[in-house]
């Protein structure tokens, strides 16, 4: 119930841990008005306003303090980490590889803030598809998905090359043909992208391909109100 800081609580918890003691903290909601950040290493819970005529209650669990402590000791308090699918939509253009002449899907960007089936957000800033900007956009794609994931859905992979037309480049990322492995020069791919966006009859050349990606949500404590023991999570 003291007004110790988070840093002091973490310091004390570490001292207890080294001594072989597992600690949990119960904090006054009068002092801690905002929800406490979930933390498995330093379990901390807020008490509802305390009254002398009744047992204190855990504010975020609606469980009396004595029942909550018994539940902790009988493994009914679990740390849960959930996952959800947050797809990445890869921007691509139908094209033909200059080397093997096979149909390819050139990658030129990605969108992460839409769900499958939703319309992409409107673009307010014009993209010029320069060699530098395309290299940066392709590098950003690789921060979200792998080349194996791109290949699995039929997209070109992304390669990094140090020389472009015989000269060292500061913009090394480009498409790589999924069939023959030939690099797809950003200059020429950019020209075709600009033409496709300018031609109102070529809308079917540009599209989005979703790649499913599971991400972990922030962990949280879950209290099982059952009386029988359950395995620890």
């Amino acid at each position: 119930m003291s007004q110790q800081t988070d840093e002091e609580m973490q310091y004390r918890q570490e001292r207890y841990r080294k001594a072989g003691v597992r600690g949990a903290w119960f904090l006054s909601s009068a002092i801690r008005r905002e929800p406490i950040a979930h933390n498995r290493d330093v379990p901390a819970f807020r008490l509802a306003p305390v009254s002398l005529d009744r047992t204190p209650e855990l504010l975020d669990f609606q469980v009396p303090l004595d029942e909550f402590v018994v539940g902790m000791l009988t493994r009914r308090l679990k740390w849960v980490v959930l996952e959800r699918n947050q797809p990445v939509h890869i921007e691509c253009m139908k094209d033909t590889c200059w080397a093997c002449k096979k149909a390819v899907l050139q990658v030129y960007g990605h969108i992460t803030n839409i769900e499958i089936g939703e319309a992409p957000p409107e673009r307010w800033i014009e993209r010029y598809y320069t060699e530098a900007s395309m290299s940066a956009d392709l590098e950003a794609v690789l921060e979200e998905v792998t080349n194996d994931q791109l290949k699995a859905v039929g997209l070109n992979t992304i390669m990094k090359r140090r020389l472009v037309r015989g000269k060292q480049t500061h913009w090394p990322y480009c498409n790589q043909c999924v069939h023959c492995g030939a690099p797809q020069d950003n200059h020429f791919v950019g020209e075709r992208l600009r033409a496709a966006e300018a031609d109102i009859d070529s809308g079917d050349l540009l599209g989005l391909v979703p790649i499913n990606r599971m991400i972990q949500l922030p962990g949280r404590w879950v209290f099982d109100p059952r009386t029988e023991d359950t395995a620890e999570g």
Side-chain angles (χ1 to χ4, degrees):
M1 303 292 287
S2 69
Q3 300 188 34
Q4 68 179 3
T5 64
D6 288 345
E7 292 75 14
E8 177 66 18
M9 185 164 56
Q10 292 169 1
Y11 168 73
R12 293 184 181 183
Q13 182 79 353
E14 180 62 17
R15 288 183 61 190
Y16 294 148
R17 186 192 67 79
K18 291 179 178 179
V21 177
R22 297 178 65 183
W25 301 85
F26 299 97
L27 311 174
S28 169
S29 59
I31 299 173
R32 300 294 182 108
R33 298 185 181 277
E34 298 297 326
I36 299 166
H38 296 301
N39 191 323
R40 187 174 188 176
D41 296 328
V42 187
F45 311 98
R46 291 188 303 162
L47 293 174
V50 176
S51 175
L52 296 178
D53 60 349
R54 60 186 174 87
T55 303
E57 188 175 82
L58 272 296
L59 188 62
D60 300 309
F61 296 88
Q62 289 76 53
V63 176
L65 177 59
D66 53 356
E67 180 184 341
F68 190 81
V69 171
V70 171
M72 292 176 62
L73 298 176
T74 54
R75 298 182 177 180
R76 289 191 283 124
L77 181 68
K78 302 179 182 180
W79 179 257
V80 176
V81 178
L82 302 178
E83 291 185 333
R84 72 181 294 265
N85 179 30
Q86 188 178 69
V88 178
H89 288 73
I90 306 300
E91 297 177 294
C92 61
M93 176 182 66
K94 295 178 182 178
D95 201 9
T96 302
C97 173
W98 66 269
C100 67
K101 309 303 180 184
K102 292 183 179 180
V104 295
L105 291 174
Q106 306 278 20
V107 175
Y108 65 92
H110 73 286
I111 303 173
T112 58
N113 59 347
I114 61 173
E115 300 292 340
I116 292 178
E118 292 183 347
E122 294 186 24
R123 190 197 309 161
W124 297 98
I125 300 176
E126 185 176 0
R127 291 157 70 176
Y128 295 99
Y129 303 116
T130 65
E131 294 182 53
S133 68
M134 288 193 63
S135 177
D137 288 341
L138 293 174
E139 183 180 11
V141 169
L142 286 183
E143 293 176 357
E144 301 290 340
V145 297
T146 67
N147 272 325
D148 287 340
Q149 289 175 302
L150 294 174
K151 188 174 181 179
V153 294
L155 296 165
N156 274 348
T157 54
I158 298 171
M159 67 180 297
K160 184 178 182 179
R161 53 180 182 164
R162 296 297 182 185
L163 298 177
V164 176
R165 293 186 288 277
K167 297 180 180 180
Q168 188 171 359
T169 179
H170 297 293
W171 312 302
Y173 292 91
C174 68
N175 277 261
Q176 184 175 29
C177 177
V178 71
H179 305 294
C180 70
Q184 310 292 296
D185 193 287
N186 285 336
H187 173 74
F188 298 108
V189 173
E191 284 188 338
R192 292 192 287 278
L193 275 168
R194 287 190 291 273
E197 288 200 344
D199 186 351
I200 60 174
D201 296 323
S202 64
D204 62 337
L205 292 179
L206 306 179
L208 294 174
V209 175
I211 295 179
N212 291 330
R213 178 185 58 170
M214 299 303 296
I215 64 168
Q216 285 192 344
L217 301 176
R220 61 190 179 96
W221 291 107
V222 174
F223 184 78
D224 185 349
R226 294 177 299 172
T227 57
E228 67 269 22
D229 292 354
T230 56
E232 184 178 5

